[in-house]
Amino acid sequence: LDILKHWYLETPEQFHAYYREIDAFVRALHERCQAHGVTMVLLSDHGQERVTRFIDLQAALKALDVPEHEYTVFLESMKARFWFHTDRARQMVTAYLARAPDGVLVSHRDMVRYLVEFPNADFGEVYFVAHPGSVFFPDDFYHPVANLYFGLKEWQKRRRLQRPVLRGQHGYLPMHPSERGLMAVLDQRVVADPAGFELRDVAPSLLGLLGEPVPAFMKGASRFRASTA
């Protein structure tokens, strides 16, 4: 279902049959769990955003007249990571990205605002994250050979043979609706903390359901407790 939405999200009527199949599977699994006294946890880590805008970031960077050997960029569909080899490249590229209307510029140090902590710049000095509904295209994942291989091998990705541009995407900054997941405990013996969840609470919550201690290095908290009803 996730792969289908990446390539066909603009035609949601195609998903109705798959939703019914997933509903039937979850119901049958839940009934088996109940029959065996097992607590079932239903977890989804994100949604999908319909893609309506395509941005050629590679062309925009080349237009800056900064020699390509002065910086390295790894371009994903919704995020670009940069490493700079000269001060000139750092100043010119970051100045452009800071005023670009297509996304948000975040340094590796500032990623802590989104509960992502990097000890250094090994994974990128700065990140340029597209606005929801936008993708960078072309990017480093769309090699013609890969498009041909996956387009022929996996029917959910058939559109890679025609125009390999995603129709749905996630992985944007975490405050956007497409990044919200769900975690449901399908057991009347367990109730959830009304304060709500953050991503860092998932592992402690699962450990709590298993009756295991939460390691001190985990910053989240268990958000489930036994029902008193």
Side-chain angles (χ1 to χ4, degrees), residues 193-212:
D193 186 338
F197 272 69
E198 291 182 337
L199 183 60
R200 59 184 174 180
D201 296 326
V202 172
S205 296
L206 291 173
L207 289 171
L209 290 171
L210 292 169
E212 298 291 336

Side-chain angles (χ1 to χ4, degrees), residues 50 54 70 96 99 122 131 139 148 152-153 214 219:
R50 181 176 175 181
F54 312 109
E70 293 191 11
Y96 165 74
R99 65 177 185 271
D122 286 355
H131 294 309
D139 63 55
L148 178 63
L152 293 174
K153 181 176 183 292
V214 178
K219 296 185 178 181

Side-chain angles (χ1 to χ4, degrees), residues 97-113:
L97 296 175
R99 65 177 185 271
D102 304 314
V104 178
L105 179 65
V106 185
S107 74
H108 73 277
R109 296 183 182 88
D110 291 337
M111 289 294 285
V112 70
R113 292 183 296 181

Side-chain angles (χ1 to χ4, degrees), residues 73-104:
V73 57
F74 181 72
L75 190 58
E76 301 174 63
S77 61
M78 72 303 177
K79 179 173 76 269
R81 290 185 276 172
F82 291 84
W83 297 261
F84 300 107
H85 313 310
T86 67
D87 289 336
R88 176 177 64 170
R90 181 178 293 105
Q91 293 172 3
M92 293 185 66
V93 173
T94 57
Y96 165 74
L97 296 175
R99 65 177 185 271
D102 304 314
V104 178

